[in-house]
Amino acid sequence: MSSICYDLHSHSTASDGVLSPTALVHLAAESGVDVLALTDHDSTDGHLEAAAAAAEVGIDFVPGIEISVSWRKRLIHIVGLGIDRNFPPLQQGLAELRVKRQQRAEAIGARFEKIGMPDVYAGACGLASGVVGRLHFAMYLVERREVRDIQQAFKKYLVKGKRCYEPCEWASLEEALGWIHGAGGQAVVAHPARYKMSRTLFREFLLDFKALDGAALEVTCSSHNAEEAHLMAGYAEEIGLLGSVGSDFHSPHNSWAKLGKVHPLPAGCPPVWRDWQ
Ligand code: AMP
Ligand code: MN
Ligand code: MN
Ligand code: MN
C-alpha cells in the first residue's frame, strides 16, 4: 500500500513563490502530492484559485498561511493549516502585516538607493504580484547580476547585520495563534531548526507556543537534514506537539525544495493530520 503524500508548506505568486496557485497545484499533482497546503506569507489571496485547481486535478487542498511573527525581537514563521480565510480578525491582522511589508520594502529600497542602487526597489516590486518580500529583492539582484544567486543576495545585503536589512515588528505570537485558532486552524512552527536560538531559549519559545495551544512543529522540511528532523521530533515529543511535513516550495528552479519531496516523519512522531477527516 502506498502512503498518502502530504506537503503542508508551499508558496505561490500571492507571496514570494514563482508559480500561480493553479500552476503550483498542477505541479503538486504531477509530483505525486495527495494533500497540499498553500501557505503564502501573510496572504490568503491564492486560496480560491488553488482550491478550484485542486478540485479539478483531484488532490486535497488545505487552505493555509505563513504568518510573520516577532518573538523577543526574533523573526519566527508560524504556519496555519486548515484556516477559514473569511474570519475577519485574521484578514484584519494580515492586512496590517502587508502594510508593514510595504513600508519595510520602501525602507529596504531606500537603503539600496543609499549605496548607489536606486533601481532595486522598483525592480523588486516588478517581480512581486502579491505580497512583496525580501526574496523579490534577492531575485532582482540575481537578475541584474549583482550577485550570483539568491543565497548570496541574502548573505551580502538582506540578512540581519547587512547594509540593506530593515528591521520590522511583526505580529506577536499570541496574535498569530489567536487569528489561526479563530479561523478554525492549527498552528505549526515553520522550519524550527532554522532559528538561531540556544536550547534554553528555543525551549522557552516552544513552551510559549504550547501554552497558546500551538499544535505542531514542522519536523521535516527542505531546510532540515535528517539529524535536525530527529532533534525536532524529540522536542515535539517532549513538549507535546505533533509533527508536520512541508517542502516550503517557492520555485521549480530551486533544486533543494521540491514539491512533495520531503522525508517522512520519524517513526513515533504523531502527524498534524492525525485527526483530520
Ligand atoms: P521576508 O518574509 O520578506 O522577510 O522574506 C523571507 C523569505 O525570504 C523566506 O520565506 C524565504 O523565501 C526567503 N529567504 C530568507 N532567507 C533566505 C536565504 N538565506 N536564502 C534564500 N532565501 C531566503
Ligand atoms: Mn518565502
Ligand atoms: Mn518561512
Ligand atoms: Mn515558507
Side-chain angles (χ1 to χ4, degrees):
M1 197 189 87
S2 66
S3 60
I4 298 174
C5 176
Y6 288 85
D7 190 336
L8 302 178
H9 188 159
S10 71
H11 296 271
S12 75
T13 45
S15 65
D16 57 2
V18 304
L19 299 184
S20 68
T22 301
L24 172 79
V25 167
H26 287 181
L27 182 60
E30 286 163 24
S31 308
V33 173
D34 299 298
V35 184
L36 176 75
L38 175 63
T39 56
D40 275 307
H41 297 285
D42 307 323
S43 170
T44 58
D45 286 355
H47 283 193
L48 282 180
E49 190 186 315
E56 210 160 274
V57 299
I59 68 173
D60 284 327
F61 174 67
V62 176
I65 188 75
E66 183 172 12
I67 301 179
S68 313
V69 162
S70 294
W71 182 82
R72 303 202 194 161
K73 306 259 180 222
R74 286 158 189 276
L75 170 65
I76 307 277
H77 282 171
I78 301 293
V79 158
L81 297 175
I83 52 166
D84 172 6
R85 60 193 283 278
N86 296 313
F87 179 57
L90 169 73
Q91 287 307 335
Q92 179 62 38
L94 297 181
E96 285 168 22
L97 288 177
R98 292 194 298 268
V99 169
K100 290 184 182 185
R101 277 185 170 275
Q102 179 55 36
Q103 291 167 345
R104 181 190 63 157
E106 288 165 21
I108 293 173
R111 287 176 180 273
F112 275 107
E113 188 162 357
K114 218 166 147 185
I115 59 168
M117 293 191 267
D119 58 313
V120 176
Y121 173 69
C125 290
L127 293 172
S129 47
V131 165
V132 59
R134 280 184 291 168
L135 190 54
H136 298 108
F137 283 88
M139 285 157 64
Y140 180 70
L141 293 168
V142 173
E143 193 178 290
R144 68 170 246 180
R145 295 173 190 273
E146 201 63 51
V147 290
R148 96 184 149 256
D149 56 23
I150 299 281
Q151 302 295 334
Q152 200 194 12
F154 272 90
K155 227 174 137 181
K156 192 167 173 195
Y157 297 105
L158 296 166
V159 294
K160 200 172 192 166
K162 293 302 154 82
R163 282 173 297 177
C164 299
Y165 175 81
E166 178 67 25
C168 189
E169 178 84 24
W170 304 107
S172 70
L173 190 63
E174 199 167 2
E175 286 171 326
L177 269 65
W179 302 333
I180 290 168
H181 294 150
Q186 288 167 290
V188 181
V189 182
H191 38 71
R194 290 281 72 82
Y195 308 114
K196 293 179 183 112
M197 289 192 230
S198 68
R199 281 163 193 240
T200 310
L201 190 64
F202 185 60
R203 202 171 261 114
E204 282 178 35
F205 167 72
L206 292 180
L207 290 172
D208 274 7
F209 179 74
K210 175 70 179 174
L212 293 165
D213 287 324
L217 286 186
E218 205 171 72
V219 167
T220 46
C221 63
S222 305
S223 55
H224 289 178
N225 59 31
E227 195 182 322
E228 289 168 326
H230 217 79
L231 182 70
M232 289 304 144
Y235 278 114
E237 185 175 12
E238 179 197 330
I239 310 287
L241 295 166
L242 304 169
S244 189
V245 173
S247 65
D248 202 4
F249 175 89
H250 284 76
S251 159
H253 308 300
N254 183 344
S255 58
W256 51 267
K258 295 258 183 232
L259 275 171
K261 300 292 174 285
V262 204
H263 290 294
L265 286 172
C269 181
V272 67
W273 56 85
R274 189 178 61 180
D275 299 323
W276 292 2
Q277 298 307 323

Coordinates of all heavy atoms in Angstrom, one line a residue, residues 194-234:
R194 N 15.7 26.3 11.9 CA 16.4 27.4 11.3 C 16.6 28.7 12.2 O 17.3 29.6 11.8 CB 15.7 27.9 10.0 CG 15.8 26.9 8.8 CD 17.1 27.0 8.1 NE 18.2 26.4 8.9 CZ 18.5 25.2 9.0 NH1 17.8 24.3 8.3 NH2 19.6 24.8 9.7
Y195 N 16.0 28.7 13.3 CA 16.1 29.8 14.2 C 17.4 29.7 15.0 O 17.5 28.7 15.7 CB 14.8 30.0 15.1 CG 13.6 29.9 14.2 CD1 12.7 28.9 14.3 CD2 13.3 30.9 13.3 CE1 11.5 28.8 13.5 CE2 12.2 30.9 12.5 CZ 11.3 29.8 12.6 OH 10.2 29.8 11.8
K196 N 18.2 30.7 15.0 CA 19.4 30.6 15.7 C 19.2 30.9 17.2 O 19.6 32.0 17.6 CB 20.5 31.5 15.1 CG 20.8 31.0 13.7 CD 21.8 31.9 13.0 CE 22.1 31.4 11.6 NZ 21.6 32.4 10.5
M197 N 18.6 29.9 17.9 CA 18.4 30.1 19.3 C 19.2 29.1 20.1 O 19.4 28.0 19.6 CB 16.9 29.9 19.6 CG 16.0 31.0 19.1 SD 14.4 30.8 19.9 CE 13.3 30.9 18.5
S198 N 19.6 29.5 21.3 CA 20.1 28.5 22.2 C 19.0 27.5 22.6 O 17.8 27.8 22.4 CB 20.6 29.2 23.5 OG 19.5 29.6 24.2
R199 N 19.4 26.3 23.1 CA 18.4 25.3 23.5 C 17.5 25.9 24.5 O 16.3 25.6 24.5 CB 19.1 24.1 24.1 CG 19.7 23.2 23.2 CD 20.7 22.3 23.9 NE 21.5 21.6 22.9 CZ 21.6 20.2 22.9 NH1 20.9 19.5 23.7 NH2 22.3 19.6 22.0
T200 N 18.0 26.6 25.5 CA 17.2 27.2 26.6 C 16.2 28.1 26.0 O 15.0 28.0 26.3 CB 18.1 28.0 27.6 OG1 19.2 27.1 27.9 CG2 17.3 28.4 28.8
L201 N 16.6 29.0 25.1 CA 15.7 30.0 24.5 C 14.6 29.3 23.6 O 13.5 29.6 23.7 CB 16.5 31.0 23.7 CG 15.7 32.2 23.3 CD1 15.2 33.0 24.5 CD2 16.5 33.1 22.3
F202 N 15.1 28.3 22.9 CA 14.2 27.6 22.0 C 13.1 26.9 22.8 O 12.0 26.9 22.4 CB 15.0 26.6 21.1 CG 14.1 25.9 20.0 CD1 13.4 26.7 19.1 CD2 14.0 24.6 20.0 CE1 12.6 26.1 18.1 CE2 13.2 23.9 19.1 CZ 12.5 24.7 18.1
R203 N 13.5 26.3 23.9 CA 12.6 25.6 24.8 C 11.6 26.6 25.3 O 10.4 26.3 25.4 CB 13.3 24.9 25.9 CG 12.5 23.7 26.4 CD 13.3 22.8 27.4 NE 13.8 21.6 26.8 CZ 15.1 21.3 26.6 NH1 16.0 22.2 26.9 NH2 15.4 20.2 26.0
E204 N 12.0 27.8 25.7 CA 11.1 28.8 26.2 C 10.1 29.2 25.1 O 8.9 29.4 25.4 CB 11.9 30.1 26.7 CG 12.6 29.9 28.0 CD 13.4 31.2 28.4 OE1 12.9 32.3 28.0 OE2 14.4 31.0 29.0
F205 N 10.6 29.3 23.9 CA 9.7 29.6 22.8 C 8.7 28.5 22.6 O 7.5 28.8 22.5 CB 10.5 29.8 21.5 CG 9.6 29.8 20.3 CD1 8.8 30.9 20.0 CD2 9.6 28.7 19.4 CE1 7.9 30.9 18.9 CE2 8.7 28.7 18.4 CZ 7.9 29.8 18.1
L206 N 9.1 27.3 22.7 CA 8.2 26.2 22.5 C 7.1 26.1 23.6 O 6.0 25.8 23.4 CB 8.9 24.8 22.4 CG 9.8 24.6 21.1 CD1 10.5 23.3 21.1 CD2 8.9 24.8 19.8
L207 N 7.6 26.4 24.8 CA 6.6 26.4 25.9 C 5.6 27.5 25.7 O 4.4 27.4 26.0 CB 7.4 26.5 27.3 CG 8.2 25.3 27.6 CD1 9.0 25.5 28.9 CD2 7.3 24.1 27.8
D208 N 6.0 28.7 25.3 CA 5.1 29.8 25.0 C 4.1 29.3 23.9 O 2.9 29.6 24.0 CB 5.8 31.0 24.4 CG 6.3 31.9 25.5 OD1 6.2 31.6 26.7 OD2 6.8 33.0 25.2
F209 N 4.6 28.7 22.8 CA 3.8 28.3 21.7 C 2.8 27.2 22.2 O 1.6 27.3 21.9 CB 4.8 27.7 20.7 CG 4.1 27.1 19.4 CD1 3.5 27.9 18.5 CD2 4.0 25.7 19.2 CE1 2.9 27.4 17.3 CE2 3.4 25.2 18.1 CZ 2.9 26.0 17.1
K210 N 3.3 26.3 23.0 CA 2.4 25.3 23.6 C 1.3 25.9 24.5 O 0.1 25.5 24.4 CB 3.2 24.2 24.3 CG 2.5 23.1 25.0 CD 1.8 22.2 24.0 CE 1.1 21.1 24.8 NZ 0.3 20.2 23.9
A211 N 1.7 26.8 25.3 CA 0.7 27.5 26.2 C -0.4 28.2 25.4 O -1.5 28.4 26.0 CB 1.5 28.4 27.1
L212 N -0.1 28.6 24.2 CA -1.1 29.3 23.4 C -1.8 28.3 22.5 O -2.5 28.6 21.5 CB -0.4 30.4 22.5 CG 0.2 31.6 23.3 CD1 1.1 32.4 22.4 CD2 -0.9 32.5 23.8
D213 N -1.7 27.0 22.8 CA -2.4 25.9 22.1 C -1.8 25.7 20.7 O -2.5 25.2 19.8 CB -3.9 26.1 22.0 CG -4.6 25.9 23.4 OD1 -4.1 25.0 24.1 OD2 -5.5 26.6 23.7
G214 N -0.6 26.0 20.5 CA 0.1 25.6 19.2 C 0.0 24.1 19.1 O 0.1 23.4 20.0
A215 N -0.1 23.7 17.8 CA -0.4 22.2 17.6 C 0.9 21.4 17.2 O 1.0 20.3 17.6 CB -1.4 22.1 16.5
A216 N 1.8 22.0 16.4 CA 2.8 21.2 15.8 C 4.1 21.9 15.5 O 4.1 23.1 15.4 CB 2.2 20.6 14.5
L217 N 5.1 21.1 15.3 CA 6.4 21.6 14.7 C 6.6 21.0 13.3 O 6.3 19.8 13.1 CB 7.6 21.0 15.6 CG 7.8 21.5 17.0 CD1 9.1 20.9 17.5 CD2 7.9 23.0 16.9
E218 N 7.1 21.8 12.4 CA 7.4 21.3 11.1 C 8.7 20.4 11.2 O 9.8 21.0 11.1 CB 7.6 22.4 10.1 CG 7.3 22.1 8.7 CD 7.4 23.4 7.9 OE1 8.4 24.0 7.7 OE2 6.3 23.9 7.5
V219 N 8.5 19.2 11.6 CA 9.6 18.3 11.9 C 10.5 18.0 10.7 O 11.7 18.1 10.7 CB 9.1 17.0 12.6 CG1 10.2 16.0 12.6 CG2 8.6 17.3 14.0
T220 N 9.8 17.7 9.5 CA 10.6 17.5 8.3 C 10.2 18.6 7.3 O 9.0 18.9 7.0 CB 10.3 16.1 7.7 OG1 8.9 15.9 7.7 CG2 11.0 15.1 8.4
C221 N 11.2 19.2 6.7 CA 11.1 20.2 5.7 C 12.4 20.3 4.9 O 13.4 19.7 5.3 CB 10.7 21.6 6.3 SG 12.0 22.3 7.4
S222 N 12.3 21.0 3.8 CA 13.5 21.0 2.9 C 14.8 21.6 3.6 O 15.9 21.3 3.2 CB 13.2 21.8 1.7 OG 12.1 21.3 1.1
S223 N 14.5 22.5 4.6 CA 15.7 23.1 5.2 C 16.2 22.3 6.4 O 17.1 22.8 7.1 CB 15.5 24.6 5.5 OG 14.3 24.7 6.3
H224 N 15.7 21.1 6.7 CA 16.2 20.3 7.8 C 16.9 19.1 7.2 O 16.4 18.4 6.3 CB 15.1 19.8 8.7 CG 14.4 20.8 9.5 ND1 13.4 20.5 10.3 CD2 14.7 22.1 9.7 CE1 13.0 21.6 11.0 NE2 13.8 22.6 10.6
N225 N 18.1 18.8 7.8 CA 18.7 17.5 7.5 C 18.1 16.4 8.4 O 17.3 16.8 9.3 CB 20.2 17.5 7.5 CG 20.7 17.9 8.9 OD1 20.0 17.7 9.9 ND2 21.8 18.6 9.0
A226 N 18.5 15.2 8.2 CA 17.9 14.1 9.0 C 18.1 14.3 10.5 O 17.2 14.0 11.3 CB 18.4 12.7 8.5
E227 N 19.3 14.8 10.8 CA 19.6 15.0 12.2 C 18.7 16.0 12.9 O 18.2 15.9 14.0 CB 21.1 15.4 12.3 CG 21.7 15.3 13.7 CD 23.1 15.8 13.6 OE1 23.8 15.5 12.6 OE2 23.5 16.5 14.6
E228 N 18.5 17.1 12.1 CA 17.6 18.2 12.6 C 16.2 17.7 12.7 O 15.5 18.1 13.7 CB 17.7 19.4 11.7 CG 19.1 20.1 11.8 CD 19.3 21.2 10.7 OE1 18.8 21.0 9.5 OE2 20.0 22.2 11.0
A229 N 15.7 16.9 11.8 CA 14.4 16.4 11.9 C 14.2 15.5 13.1 O 13.2 15.6 13.8 CB 14.1 15.5 10.6
H230 N 15.3 14.7 13.4 CA 15.3 13.9 14.6 C 15.2 14.7 15.9 O 14.5 14.4 16.8 CB 16.5 13.0 14.6 CG 16.3 11.7 15.1 ND1 15.7 10.7 14.3 CD2 16.4 11.1 16.3 CE1 15.6 9.6 15.0 NE2 16.0 9.8 16.2
L231 N 16.0 15.7 15.9 CA 16.1 16.7 17.0 C 14.7 17.3 17.2 O 14.2 17.4 18.4 CB 17.1 17.7 16.7 CG 17.4 18.8 17.8 CD1 18.1 18.1 19.0 CD2 18.3 19.9 17.2
M232 N 14.1 17.7 16.2 CA 12.8 18.4 16.3 C 11.7 17.4 16.7 O 10.8 17.7 17.4 CB 12.4 19.1 15.0 CG 13.2 20.3 14.7 SD 13.1 21.5 16.1 CE 14.8 22.1 16.1
A233 N 11.8 16.1 16.3 CA 10.8 15.1 16.7 C 11.0 14.9 18.2 O 10.0 14.7 18.9 CB 11.1 13.8 16.0
G234 N 12.2 15.0 18.7 CA 12.4 14.9 20.1 C 11.8 16.1 20.9 O 11.1 15.8 21.9

